[in-house]
Amino acid sequence: MRVLVTGGAGFIGSHVVEALRARGHEPVVFDVRADPTADVRSPGAVRDALSGVDAVCHQAAMVGLGTGFADAPEYVSHNDLGTAVLLAAMAEAGVGRLVLAGSMVVYGEGRYACPRHGVVRPGPRAVTDLAAGRFEPACPVCGAGLEPGLVGEDAPADPRTVYATTKLAQEHLAAVWARSTGGSAVSLRYHNVYGPGMPRDTPYAGVASFFRSALARGEAPRVFEDGGQRRDFVHVRDVARANVAALEAERHAGAATAYNTGSGTPHTVGEMARALALAYGGPDPVVTGEYRLGDVRHITADSSRLRAELGWEPEVDFEEGMREFAAAGLRGD
């Protein structure tokens, strides 16, 4: 299969390219890092890139929480306009198979259960609570403490940042494209991806990159809140394999399906920082009590649908992955 990989020179995209080659496919890299003209917002460049292509793995995006609402036009341009241009060109070229890099950020907070009211959806955390060190969301009905659980793909979307909103819009665009063209679209909702080749700490890098960069400078990783935030850290090679599994899966014309893509084993941010610091040889993390507006407290994946329907299983466990990541280099960009 000849597969166009947008963002194929990036962190996740480059691993997808490697995984495709390992399976005997022919990846075609389309990335402004490799070619300044390879912009998904450019209809002509996208049409040319789709020549002879059987499928598209769409990894290109502006990522991260962002630095304020002033970033909104840029996020929408890169993520939503870029996806619309790509899908329009795919429809014109008759390319009917898409795998999209989705994100768990479309959920907002994860799944919570109240002892009295069952499954509930807490709203955004109040600044007054965060400033006072009250980080756990409360039941919106009775104010009781909540038990976090695994979020499934059928949970309602509740994007809480500009980036999250653009990722949800990408899924909606892909679903409309699939229905109108008879194509098939799969969105892999990545959880916290880490591993070799992560970019150095930038406003858009993941927390694992920030911690790893601090250690490389001889500094203690700075853990926000109390370190108890639950996340699902999934290795980039496992994410790349999920992309290949989705591309190779049986095609269902007109279908658009979302799959959580996580390890299935929650860890706290504090646990991750300690494991990484231990593997690197210190210094130990520092819990700061700081917070960022827009961050959610707990979001961890139920990835059983991906396992059951595509036969995918994560292969890199948390401890092994952190040891490798501690020794691996980071991208300078």
Side-chain angles (χ1 to χ4, degrees):
M1 193 186 320
R2 183 175 168 89
V3 182
L4 182 69
V5 184
T6 71
F11 166 46
I12 297 175
S14 61
H15 285 273
V16 171
V17 167
E18 291 180 10
L20 285 166
R21 286 199 182 112
R23 289 284 296 175
H25 299 294
E26 181 186 356
V28 178
V29 173
F30 186 81
D31 195 309
V32 290
R33 298 173 185 85
D35 177 359
T37 68
D39 190 325
V40 289
R41 297 169 294 179
S42 171
V46 173
R47 281 195 297 267
D48 291 345
L50 286 170
S51 178
V53 161
D54 304 299
V56 174
C57 187
H58 185 29
Q59 305 293 317
M62 183 175 175
V63 300
L65 184 66
T67 56
F69 199 82
D71 290 336
E74 196 170 1
Y75 273 106
V76 172
S77 175
H78 281 86
N79 297 354
D80 298 339
L81 175 60
T83 299
V85 169
L86 173 66
L87 293 172
M90 290 175 65
E92 180 182 344
V95 178
R97 187 184 292 263
L98 171 73
V99 175
L100 171 69
S103 176
M104 54 83 177
V105 295
V106 300
Y107 298 116
E109 286 284 357
R111 185 181 188 276
Y112 292 89
C114 170
R116 292 178 57 194
H117 297 101
V119 175
V120 295
R121 291 187 62 79
R125 294 178 293 171
V127 174
T128 52
D129 286 336
L130 294 171
R134 296 187 294 269
F135 301 121
E136 294 290 344
C139 175
V141 181
C142 67
L146 300 174
E147 180 66 28
L150 301 181
V151 63
E153 292 88 349
D154 296 329
D158 184 17
R160 297 186 179 182
T161 64
V162 170
Y163 169 64
T165 302
T166 64
K167 296 307 290 183
L168 184 59
Q170 284 184 309
E171 290 192 0
H172 289 322
L173 287 166
V176 173
W177 165 83
R179 287 194 298 270
S180 63
T181 65
S184 65
V186 171
S187 177
L188 298 175
R189 291 176 176 170
Y190 301 159
H191 281 248
N192 290 70
V193 186
Y194 74 96
M198 273 193 100
R200 293 188 183 279
D201 45 5
T202 72
Y204 310 109
V207 66
S209 171
F210 278 102
F211 292 167
R212 175 64 177 77
S213 297
L215 290 166
R217 296 191 302 268
E219 300 172 2
R222 294 176 61 82
V223 180
F224 279 15
E225 301 187 17
D226 59 0
Q229 311 94 301
R230 286 161 52 105
R231 296 291 188 268
D232 187 321
F233 298 99
V234 58
H235 196 277
V236 65
R237 285 198 300 274
D238 286 333
V239 168
R241 289 176 43 254
N243 276 270
V244 176
L247 286 164
E248 293 179 343
E250 181 183 355
R251 179 179 179 274
H252 299 286
T257 310
Y259 293 103
N260 284 333
T261 307
S263 71
T265 306
H267 291 275
T268 68
V269 172
E271 287 172 344
M272 188 272 285
R274 289 190 294 273
L276 188 57
L278 178 64
Y280 193 83
D284 292 337
V286 174
V287 177
T288 69
E290 297 172 86
Y291 61 88
R292 296 191 306 180
L293 290 178
D295 279 354
V296 298
R297 179 62 175 173
H298 304 298
I299 175 70
T300 52
D302 178 355
S303 298
S304 57
R305 178 184 291 177
L306 181 59
R307 289 170 165 82
E309 296 186 9
L310 300 189
W312 172 87
E313 289 284 346
E315 294 181 349
V316 183
D317 68 26
F318 180 75
E319 288 76 15
E320 174 192 352
M322 287 298 154
R323 286 194 297 270
E324 180 194 28
F325 186 44
L330 296 172
R331 287 175 180 250
D333 55 345

